[in-house]
Amino acid sequence: MYYVNQDQIERRLNAIPEIARGLREAAEAWDGGLVYGFVQERALHLAIEIVTDVGSYLIDGFIMRDASSYEDIMDIIHQEKVMPDDIHAVLLQLVRLRKPLVQEYYDWERHSLHPLSSVLPEVLERFAADVRDYLKREL
């Protein structure tokens, strides 16, 4: 019997609609200014934390192999059929932004709209649905 912390997974997935909204609004109103730059930056960072946290809860709860990196978290849950190839590809791009956003923030380009900002809202929403479907299937 598995112990999957569904409460913590759901709490994180429930944050996705606001992050998606922030990304959509920033992309639609993009003016290259600092405020939208910070909105984008924070939303991307939160999206990374959500998908890696959820992935870690799934890995721990279903006793999947140990992950060695953020990218590996995405690879493992993809291999376990949590999400399809297209979502996996975008989320890999997303988690690769963690180091630039968190450790090299002083070099982050805040005045340009990042290409993921326009596609990520839908991807995050699909990720949440995929995770919920996976939990229903497996539990």
Side-chain angles (χ1 to χ4, degrees), residues 103 106 136:
Q103 295 176 5
Y106 44 83
K136 285 178 191 169

Side-chain angles (χ1 to χ4, degrees), residues 44 47-48 51 90-98 116 120:
L44 290 169
I48 293 165
V51 300
V90 175
L91 294 183
L92 269 181
Q93 291 177 51
L94 174 67
V95 299
R96 288 179 181 138
L97 294 179
R98 190 173 193 284
L116 285 180
L120 199 55

Side-chain angles (χ1 to χ4, degrees), residues 30 38 73 90 120:
W30 191 260
F38 279 132
I73 292 170
V90 175
L120 199 55

Side-chain angles (χ1 to χ4, degrees), residues 86-88 90-91 119-128 130:
D86 60 329
I87 300 299
H88 174 248
V90 175
L91 294 183
V119 298
L120 199 55
E122 181 183 339
V123 168
L124 290 172
E125 291 162 352
R126 286 185 53 204
F127 173 76
D130 291 341

Side-chain angles (χ1 to χ4, degrees), residues 4-139:
V4 180
N5 196 333
Q6 295 177 74
D7 178 58
Q8 289 300 315
I9 291 172
E10 197 58 36
R11 290 180 76 185
R12 282 152 178 81
L13 295 179
N14 286 338
I16 287 176
E18 285 187 336
I19 293 165
R21 180 179 171 202
L23 285 167
R24 280 187 181 107
E25 289 182 17
E28 289 169 6
W30 191 260
D31 61 2
L34 189 60
V35 172
Y36 286 120
F38 279 132
V39 169
Q40 171 185 241
E41 187 174 348
R42 182 62 176 154
L44 290 169
H45 180 208
L46 288 173
I48 293 165
E49 297 305 315
I50 287 170
V51 300
T52 56
D53 284 354
V54 168
S56 292
Y57 279 116
L58 293 171
I59 289 168
D60 292 346
F62 288 104
I63 313 171
M64 300 173 186
R65 74 172 173 84
D66 288 338
S68 61
S69 65
Y70 292 105
E71 293 170 355
D72 201 25
I73 292 170
M74 296 298 100
D75 290 342
I76 292 168
I77 63 174
H78 174 250
Q79 291 162 1
E80 294 291 332
K81 309 286 188 234
V82 174
M83 62 185 152
D85 295 346
D86 60 329
I87 300 299
H88 174 248
V90 175
L91 294 183
L92 269 181
Q93 291 177 51
L94 174 67
V95 299
R96 288 179 181 138
L97 294 179
R98 190 173 193 284
K99 185 175 181 180
L101 282 168
V102 176
Q103 295 176 5
E104 298 164 355
Y105 53 86
Y106 44 83
D107 286 331
W108 181 261
E109 177 51 56
R110 290 183 182 90
H111 300 287
S112 297
L113 183 64
H114 192 279
L116 285 180
S117 292
S118 298
V119 298
L120 199 55
E122 181 183 339
V123 168
L124 290 172
E125 291 162 352
R126 286 185 53 204
F127 173 76
D130 291 341
V131 168
R132 289 177 176 123
D133 289 345
Y134 181 82
L135 290 171
K136 285 178 191 169
R137 263 194 331 268
E138 297 299 320
L139 296 175

